[in-house]
Amino acid sequence: MDTNTITEIIILAAGQGKRMRSKLPKVLHCIAGKPMLGHVIDSAKELDVAKVHVVVGHGADLVKKEFDDPAICWATQAEQLGTGHAVAQAMPSVDPNSIVLIAYGDVPLVKPSTMASLIESADEDTLSLLTVFLDDPSNYGRIVRESGKICAIVEEKDANEEQRTIQEINTGILAVTAEKLQEWLPRLSSDNAQKEYYLTEIIAMAVKDGMKVIAQHPDSVMEVEGANDRLQIAALERSYQQQQALRLMMEGATLADPDRFDVRGNVTVGEDVFIDVNCVFIGEVSIADDVTIGPNCIIENSCIGQGTVIKSHCVLENASVAENCDIGPFARLRPGSVLANKVKVGNFVEVKNTVLGEGSKANHLAYLGDSVLGSFCNIGAGTITCNYDGANKYKTTLGNNVFIGSNSTLVAPINIGDDGFVGAGSTVTKNIPSNQLAIGRGKQRNIAGWKKPVKS
Ligand code: UD1
Ligand code: MG
């Protein structure tokens, strides 16, 4: 391919996917939290293709709604008359001078590099086809060769007994010029066992036109595996997760068990990271060097600074955690939690939209919402920031070295100055100036000679 050639991709996604037994169109079923079609679109985008065409049919409206992306060029195939017919629906908006890569919306794990090498090897004289060899080739289109050269693809239902023994199969993914597609597609016939317009018929046409048809192979079979039912979805999911686990291990993370580890987004790790079993990482997550994450944590759109320890059963969402913090077990950091260095957030502590300054601690059973804490504050067990009056949210602000005694309620809006001190069990409704002790609770009375009630 010459470097000035534009490339476009046509993704076929009109099929129903009956075997999914689902209200959802097949291509919206997810691998690693992202619809299968989304994986294909994202891989295509990595290649810098000029246009992404998606052919939709079954559940077209749902699919379009899911990918509300102006970069996608939608084509509708009202009736599923075959893969060749599907490609034809996209052709009116394909640049006639482009190289076209054809991919399937239900084959989600094709690597961008695999797509790129197909595109690179296609030109006006060459059609480039992605094929693999399978021990069990049944149901696939077989690659028919003569004297080693590809001369046709024959679908299983149309194949004779000898052809059915061929183990090289058509993945469906290919690259060819738009010009040739325009020439060939109107000539497809549906005179075959399935009465469909097969795209695969273009192979014989290419050979007849004196073109070279070459085969390329993916790095692994999983790359070209499609999903027709939920079992295959699960297999693809595991394969995807194994790849993620492998990548993180290569980057310096020890995984207690690479088979009990899930990434649904993009995770980056530093060196000497330890991740225990059953952790789930969602969205954009970055983990610095020397971080330890205990079992059963869910970490979403968060960054974790060097040397931080997250103990078991923590849930972090849109949180930013600096270095050498100590979190959990059973801590919940909700969106807007910002922890400076050496912060401790212990068990059953919920933090939301709150900044904790360096070295501050909330070790047990607390709710900190819409707050800003200075450095080295100590939040006693059972402390609640009352940030909501039923209509509006208010802010709690603590200076440095503030001590909040256990079981206190801080009724926002409220300000506590540096070195402020709150006696245990207080309900604090007024600001506390620096260096003062506030006690807001009923005075204790001891009643001498008190008699216990007795049963009558
Ligand atoms: C197709 C290939 C076969 C190949 C196999 C690989 C043809 C004729 N056969 O077979 O050689 O081995 O894929 O998986 O191309 N689709 C549409 N509109 C249609 C028909 C299909 O959009 O009218 C889409 C489907 O949603 C799917 C893809 O095209 O994403 C492939 O369709 P499918 O029915 O699975 O193709 P096969 O018959 O399995
Ligand atoms: Mg079919």
Side-chain angles (χ1 to χ4, degrees):
M1 183 186 104
D2 95 58
T3 46
N4 296 322
T5 313
I6 358 164
T7 52
E8 301 194 5
I9 181 171
I10 300 177
I11 304 171
L12 306 189
Q16 180 178 16
K18 272 198 196 110
R19 282 176 282 164
M20 295 301 294
R21 294 186 163 266
S22 174
K23 289 180 276 305
L24 212 59
K26 175 159 79 169
V27 291
L28 292 188
H29 282 262
C30 289
I31 303 292
K34 178 157 84 181
M36 290 197 280
L37 177 58
H39 285 271
V40 186
I41 291 172
D42 288 351
S43 297
K45 282 184 174 169
E46 271 187 49
L47 295 180
D48 227 11
V49 294
K51 253 189 196 169
V52 176
H53 305 263
V54 182
V55 182
V56 284
H58 275 281
D61 292 341
L62 281 175
V63 178
K64 287 184 190 170
K65 214 168 114 197
E66 177 73 28
F67 297 93
D68 186 16
D69 179 348
I72 298 173
C73 207
W74 298 101
T76 307
Q77 187 193 28
E79 249 185 303
Q80 279 68 64
L81 301 178
T83 49
H85 179 260
V87 171
Q89 307 315 301
M91 289 311 288
S93 49
V94 171
D95 186 321
N97 297 314
S98 62
I99 297 274
V100 178
L101 178 77
I102 292 168
Y104 290 175
D106 56 356
V107 180
L109 302 186
V110 190
K111 287 187 191 155
S113 57
T114 304
M115 293 179 172
S117 75
L118 275 177
I119 292 167
E120 263 152 42
S121 57
D123 58 30
E124 60 262 34
D125 304 314
T126 318
L127 185 153
S128 193
L129 202 57
L130 194 65
T131 75
V132 279
F133 292 83
L134 297 181
D135 290 339
D136 176 12
S138 37
N139 297 323
Y140 289 99
R142 308 297 207 283
I143 306 296
V144 182
R145 290 178 182 262
E146 260 169 34
S147 321
K149 288 206 174 97
I150 297 175
C151 57
I153 295 177
V154 56
E155 294 303 302
E156 160 121 345
K157 287 188 176 132
D158 302 288
N160 61 35
E161 226 161 278
E162 191 198 333
Q163 288 167 330
R164 286 188 190 193
T165 63
I166 299 172
Q167 288 182 301
E168 186 181 9
I169 64 101
N170 172 34
T171 65
I173 299 156
L174 60 87
V176 65
T177 62
E179 200 186 351
K180 285 292 176 187
L181 279 176
Q182 268 172 345
E183 194 184 313
W184 295 328
L185 291 175
R187 286 168 28 204
L188 297 180
S189 89
S190 59
D191 184 15
N192 53 51
Q194 301 187 78
K195 303 280 172 262
E196 284 182 6
Y197 296 93
Y198 292 162
L199 179 65
T200 44
E201 230 186 278
I202 68 170
I203 305 305
M205 292 179 179
V207 173
K208 206 166 162 212
D209 285 2
M211 281 179 74
K212 259 189 301 178
V213 177
I214 58 165
Q216 301 213 351
H217 311 297
D219 293 340
S220 83
V221 175
M222 283 320 274
E223 258 194 78
V224 294
E225 208 75 67
N228 295 304
D229 57 32
R230 293 175 199 249
L231 251 88
Q232 286 169 326
I233 293 259
L236 286 176
E237 175 79 32
R238 270 310 102 205
S239 162
Y240 178 88
Q241 295 303 345
Q242 276 159 9
Q243 279 173 39
Q244 299 303 311
L246 193 78
R247 181 179 60 80
L248 293 197
M249 290 189 283
M250 299 315 277
E251 285 173 13
T254 294
L255 304 183
D257 182 356
D259 288 332
R260 284 181 290 167
F261 161 83
D262 286 85
V263 171
R264 299 174 195 155
N266 299 309
V267 179
T268 59
V269 288
E271 292 177 359
D272 298 309
V273 166
F274 176 79
I275 300 172
D276 214 324
V277 299
N278 295 333
C279 290
V280 182
F281 300 90
I282 303 167
E284 300 293 321
V285 175
S286 76
I287 301 169
D289 289 357
D290 310 312
V291 167
T292 292
I293 301 172
N296 303 313
C297 291
I298 302 173
I299 301 183
E300 181 170 355
N301 293 321
S302 296
C303 50
I304 319 290
Q306 184 168 1
T308 285
V309 175
I310 300 177
K311 294 176 184 137
S312 73
H313 299 93
C314 290
V315 180
L316 279 67
E317 188 189 349
N318 292 61
S320 160
V321 178
E323 297 176 4
N324 299 307
C325 292
D326 189 344
I327 300 170
F330 300 100
R332 179 168 183 209
L333 303 185
R334 291 173 52 201
S337 298
V338 179
L339 278 52
N341 293 343
K342 295 185 181 167
V343 163
K344 286 179 103 173
V345 173
N347 40 227
F348 308 109
V349 174
E350 176 180 340
V351 180
K352 186 215 77 175
N353 189 27
T354 286
V355 179
L356 284 98
E358 182 174 351
S360 284
K361 297 175 186 172
N363 276 338
H364 341 258
L365 300 159
Y367 171 64
L368 300 174
D370 303 311
S371 312
V372 178
L373 282 64
S375 323
F376 305 105
C377 292
N378 194 325
I379 307 297
T383 297
I384 308 281
T385 55
C386 308
N387 57 336
Y388 186 51
D389 64 4
N392 296 299
K393 297 269 171 76
Y394 300 98
K395 222 169 156 172
T396 300
T397 311
L398 274 58
N400 301 324
N401 300 307
V402 171
F403 183 98
I404 310 290
S406 299
N407 204 31
S408 295
T409 50
L410 309 178
V411 182
I414 198 119
N415 262 293
I416 304 179
D418 290 348
D419 297 285
F421 210 101
V422 171
S426 292
T427 297
V428 181
T429 55
K430 286 190 292 208
N431 291 344
I432 307 172
S434 297
N435 295 302
Q436 292 194 10
L437 165 69
I439 302 177
R441 63 183 185 227
K443 253 200 169 144
Q444 181 175 336
R445 285 188 301 146
N446 294 341
I447 296 167
W450 181 70
K451 298 266 183 305
K452 265 194 195 170
V454 287
K455 252 197 170 144
S456 49

